[in-house]
C-alpha cells in the first residue's frame, strides 16, 4: 500500500532508443519530482511538476522530457537514451513546495536504468 | 548556485561508537532536512530543522541547525548496525518557478557489530 510506486524497477535498454519511466502516487500530492542518483554526484533534480500539465526543468534536464496528464502520474522520457543516462532514477512527491514541513519528500524505491 | 557539502564522505565505525556528520554551505537556507537511504530504496526523511540554532533529537540522533542557517550537523550516540546507510542533507532551493530541494552528496555510514 505504498503511496508512491515506480515502474519498472530495473531496465536495460540500447543506446538511441526512447525509454519512459513511470511514477504513480495515491497521496493526491500536488508536487512531483524526478531525480537521478549517481556515485560522486548525489541526487540531482531532472524535472518537477507543480500540477497537472505544469512542469519545470531542474539542474540536469537535457535529454529528458516529462509529462503529467493526471495528478497521480508523472512520466519521465529519455528521448534517445545514451550511456551517460545510466543511473538510478527516483521519483518523489510532496504536498508543499520543496517538501518543507513534517513529511518532507516521499521517495519511490527507484528505477535502475542501464543503457548499453 | 547553492551547494551543500557533506563530510565525511565515508565513515566506518564499530558498534557503540559516537559520530558526527556535517552539512555545510556558503548560502543561507530557510530550512534543512536530513534523510537516510538504505541500499535499493529511496531516501526517508529523518528530520526538518527550521530555526537557526535549533536542536532536534530523535532517539540516539541529534540534529543541529547552525545559528546562521548555513550549516547543520547530525550526531549519533552509541551507533548500532541498524544505523548503517547513506545520510543526506537537503535544503530548499528557490530557483525555478517553484521551490525544490537540493541534496548534498551524502555520508555513507557503516556500523560494524
Amino acid at each position: 500500500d505504498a503511496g508512491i510506486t515506480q515502474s519498472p524497477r530495473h531496465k536495460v535498454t540500447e543506446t538511441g532508443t526512447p525509454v519512459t519511466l513511470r511514477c504513480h502516487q495515491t497521496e493526491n500530492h500536488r508536487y512531483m519530482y524526478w531525480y537521478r542518483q549517481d556515485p560522486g554526484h548525489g541526487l540531482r533534480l531532472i524535472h518537477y511538476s507543480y500540477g497537472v500539465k505544469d512542469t519545470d526543468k531542474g539542474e540536469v534536464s537535457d535529454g529528458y522530457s516529462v509529462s503529467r496528464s493526471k495528478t497521480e502520474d508523472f512520466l519521465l522520457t529519455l528521448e534517445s537514451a545514451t550511456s551517460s543516462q545510466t543511473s538510478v532514477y527516483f521519483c518523489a512527491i510532496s504536498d508543499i513546495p520543496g517538501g518543507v514541513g513534517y513529511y518532507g519528500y516521499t521517495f519511490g524505491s527507484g528505477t535502475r536504468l542501464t543503457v548499453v | 548556485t547553492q551547494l551543500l557539502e557533506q563530510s565525511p564522505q565515508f565513515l566506518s565505525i564499530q558498534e557503540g561508537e559516537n559520530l558526527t556528520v556535517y552539512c555545510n554551505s556558503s548560502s543561507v537556507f530557510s530550512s534543512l532536512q536530513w534523510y537516510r537511504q538504505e541500499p535499493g530504496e529511496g531516501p526517508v526523511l529523518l528530520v526538518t530543522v527550521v530555526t537557526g540554532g535549533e536542536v532536534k533529537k530523535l532517539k540516539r540522533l541529534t540534529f543541529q541547525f547552525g545559528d546562521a542557517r548555513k550549516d547543520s550537523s547530525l550526531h549519533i550516540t552509541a551507533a548500532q548496525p541498524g544505523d548503517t546507510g547513506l545520510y543526506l542533507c537537503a535544503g530548499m532551493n528557490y530557483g525555478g518557478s517553484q521551490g525544490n530541494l537540493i541534496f548534498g552528496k551524502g555520508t555513507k555510514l557503516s556500523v560494524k557489530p
Side-chain angles (χ1 to χ4, degrees):
Chain A
D1 61 342
I4 175 171
T5 55
Q6 291 185 233
S7 59
R9 287 297 311 271
H10 302 271
K11 185 168 183 68
V12 180
T13 192
E14 292 188 350
T15 298
T17 60
V19 177
T20 295
L21 308 182
R22 181 183 184 231
C23 178
H24 178 79
Q25 61 146 327
T26 57
E27 304 296 324
N28 201 35
H29 283 341
R30 178 181 173 188
Y31 300 91
M32 299 185 76
Y33 309 84
W34 276 108
Y35 284 85
R36 60 178 288 175
Q37 187 172 38
D38 304 288
H41 291 279
L43 279 162
R44 291 179 292 173
L45 182 66
I46 305 171
H47 282 279
Y48 63 99
S49 170
Y50 47 97
V52 173
K53 295 192 175 145
D54 290 324
T55 64
D56 202 353
K57 294 179 180 181
E59 176 189 359
V60 289
S61 59
D62 287 348
Y64 301 94
S65 62
V66 289
S67 67
R68 192 169 178 199
S69 58
K70 298 186 288 185
T71 298
E72 56 266 37
D73 289 324
F74 192 31
L75 304 180
L76 175 71
T77 298
L78 287 65
E79 293 139 10
S80 176
T82 67
S83 58
S84 65
Q85 293 175 312
T86 292
S87 185
V88 181
Y89 291 86
F90 286 98
C91 177
I93 61 174
S94 72
D95 56 353
I96 302 172
V100 179
Y102 188 77
Y103 295 106
Y105 279 9
T106 300
F107 281 86
S109 297
T111 294
R112 183 174 293 276
L113 177 69
T114 303
V115 183
V116 298
Chain B
T1 303
Q2 294 176 298
L3 287 174
L4 285 167
E5 304 279 351
Q6 286 190 244
S7 62
Q9 273 189 284
F10 303 96
L11 197 52
S12 181
I13 61 172
Q14 293 296 128
E15 183 175 1
E17 292 184 14
N18 301 333
L19 67 113
T20 302
V21 173
Y22 299 93
C23 175
N24 295 298
S25 176
S26 57
S27 305
V28 174
F29 285 91
S30 58
S31 65
L32 277 178
Q33 300 179 13
W34 284 92
Y35 290 78
R36 182 169 72 204
Q37 184 179 17
E38 299 187 15
E41 296 298 327
V44 175
L45 179 71
L46 295 173
V47 76
T48 301
V49 286
V50 178
T51 306
E54 181 177 4
V55 176
K56 279 192 174 178
K57 292 193 173 182
L58 191 67
K59 297 183 181 177
R60 294 176 294 99
L61 278 60
T62 302
F63 304 85
Q64 186 161 8
F65 200 13
D67 291 340
R69 292 185 289 126
K70 292 184 178 181
D71 55 87
S72 182
S73 63
L74 158 60
H75 181 78
I76 301 179
T77 303
Q80 298 176 0
D83 295 326
T84 292
L86 179 67
Y87 289 82
L88 298 160
C89 66
M92 182 71 166
N93 171 33
Y94 288 97
S97 58
Q98 303 279 320
N100 54 78
L101 281 181
I102 59 169
F103 286 82
K105 294 180 181 177
T107 293
K108 193 168 184 179
L109 173 65
S110 174
V111 182
K112 296 179 168 48

